[in-house]
Amino acid sequence: MGRMISVEKVYKSFGTLEVLKDINLEVQQGEVLCIIGPSGSGKSTLLRCLNHLEVITSGKIMIEDDLLAEKLDGKNQFKIAHKKISEICTELGMVFQRFNLFPHMTVLQNIIEAPVSVKKLSKAEAVAYAMELLKMVGLEDKKDEYPARLSGGQQQRVAIARALAMKPKIMLFDEPTSALDPELVGEVLEVMKKLARGGMTMVVVTHEMGFAKEVGSRVIFMDKGEISEEGTPEAIFSNPKNERTRAFLQKVL
C-alpha cells in the first residue's frame, strides 16, 4: 500500500481570512477518507488545494511521490513547472457539488472530451471506455442525451464517469450529493460505494453521515480551518473525543 497524498503544515488564506491552519494528513492507496464538519470549516478549500484549484499560502502537498506545491512563508521555494503540475493533476479526478457538465455536448461527448483532447486517445478507444463507464454508473441508454434532459442524480453520475474517463488514481468528491433532491442521493452514493469496493483511493467531503460511517476507512472532522479530530468511522461516530465533534454530531445525527 503506497502513500497517495501527503499534506504537511498547509495554511491557506484569502486576504486576511485564514481558511486552513496547519493541516497535516496522509491518504494511503485504496483508502476512503471522509471529511465532515460545519459549513465554512475549510473542507472544500482543502480539497481544492489537493488538485491545485487553490494555491496554498504555505506548507507542502505531495501527490504520490511528486511535489505538487511547496511554499514557505507564502513564497514559492521551488518553481514547479506548470506542465508538471498539470501532469500530476491528471492523476486526480474531481467531482463537484454542481455537476459542471458541458450543456452543449451529449453525455458521451462530455465523457470523451478530455481523454481525446488531453490524453490524445483515439476517438474509438475513448468511446469504448466511456460506454464501459456509463454501464458502471447505469446510464448507457442516456449516451446521446443532453445534460438538461437528465435528473440531477443522473447528471452527477455522468460527472463521475467523466472524471473516471481520465483513469485517475485518486478521486476527490466535493459534497457530491448536496445539490440533489433527497430521493436522488442514493443512486449517486451507490456509484461511489462501487468505486470504493473496487479499491479506488477517495477523498470525500460529505454531509452524508451514513455514507461516511459505512464506506469511510477514516473520518476527519474539520472545524474553523483545523482538523479537530480524526479516526475510524466507529471511533468518530460512536465515541468522539473532541467537544466540537460531539456538538456537531449531535446536531446532524
Side-chain angles (χ1 to χ4, degrees):
M1 294 276 275
R3 187 177 66 179
M4 299 302 280
I5 299 174
S6 169
V7 177
E8 289 173 34
K9 296 192 167 81
V10 162
Y11 286 79
K12 171 67 184 169
S13 300
F14 294 107
T16 55
L17 181 68
E18 205 167 41
V19 187
L20 296 176
K21 306 168 194 169
D22 198 16
I23 301 289
N24 295 281
L25 72 96
E26 289 197 348
V27 182
Q28 304 300 324
Q29 192 177 355
E31 205 176 8
V32 179
L33 176 70
C34 292
I35 304 176
I36 64 170
S39 291
S41 57
K43 307 184 298 292
S44 293
T45 303
L46 172 57
L47 208 60
R48 292 170 68 85
C49 287
L50 292 180
N51 70 351
H52 219 65
L53 288 172
E54 298 288 357
V55 181
I56 59 177
T57 306
S58 67
K60 181 176 176 179
I61 297 176
M62 307 275 295
I63 303 295
E64 288 190 281
D65 293 325
D66 290 317
L67 185 64
L68 174 72
E70 180 164 40
K71 285 189 165 191
L72 294 177
D73 308 325
K75 297 180 189 64
N76 261 331
Q77 286 303 104
F78 294 92
K79 291 286 180 218
I80 309 156
H82 186 72
K83 187 169 178 292
K84 181 65 179 164
I85 289 174
S86 302
E87 236 168 73
I88 296 169
C89 288
T90 59
E91 303 286 338
L92 299 145
M94 177 100 172
V95 177
F96 299 88
Q97 188 173 351
R98 300 265 164 212
F99 328 116
N100 294 6
L101 296 172
F102 300 118
H104 60 290
M105 291 184 180
T106 64
V107 163
L108 187 62
Q109 288 167 335
N110 261 285
I111 296 173
I112 67 171
E113 168 68 18
V116 170
S117 61
V118 181
K119 284 209 159 170
K120 307 293 181 231
L121 230 61
S122 75
K123 191 169 175 193
E125 273 179 292
V127 168
Y129 190 48
M131 290 310 295
E132 264 177 58
L133 292 170
L134 280 172
K135 194 170 179 189
M136 194 222 41
V137 300
L139 290 171
E140 64 265 57
D141 58 332
K142 301 288 186 194
K143 69 178 172 53
D144 298 321
E145 289 285 7
Y146 286 89
R149 302 274 307 259
L150 303 179
S151 71
Q154 290 170 330
Q155 288 190 55
Q156 193 59 297
R157 285 186 280 154
V158 172
I160 293 173
R162 182 177 65 173
L164 290 169
M166 291 292 280
K167 302 195 174 170
K169 294 182 180 172
I170 302 164
M171 283 288 282
L172 308 175
F173 291 89
D174 190 7
E175 298 187 18
T177 57
S178 60
L180 299 178
D181 293 333
E183 73 273 18
L184 303 176
V185 167
E187 64 191 52
V188 173
L189 293 180
E190 210 37 63
V191 170
M192 292 168 67
K193 286 175 191 173
K194 218 185 257 186
L195 276 182
R197 288 195 293 268
M200 175 61 81
T201 305
M202 294 161 64
V203 182
V204 185
V205 170
T206 187
H207 292 299
E208 297 295 330
M209 299 302 148
F211 176 85
K213 233 182 232 181
E214 184 191 338
V215 186
S217 24
R218 201 156 43 103
V219 176
I220 277 180
F221 173 72
M222 283 185 74
D223 191 26
K224 300 187 173 117
E226 297 173 310
I227 294 175
S228 292
E229 188 164 353
E230 67 176 291
T232 61
E234 195 181 37
I236 296 283
F237 290 110
S238 316
N239 189 17
K241 300 197 168 25
N242 187 302
E243 190 48 53
R244 288 192 285 188
T245 316
R246 277 202 294 273
F248 172 75
L249 290 174
Q250 270 162 3
K251 279 188 202 136
V252 298
L253 289 180

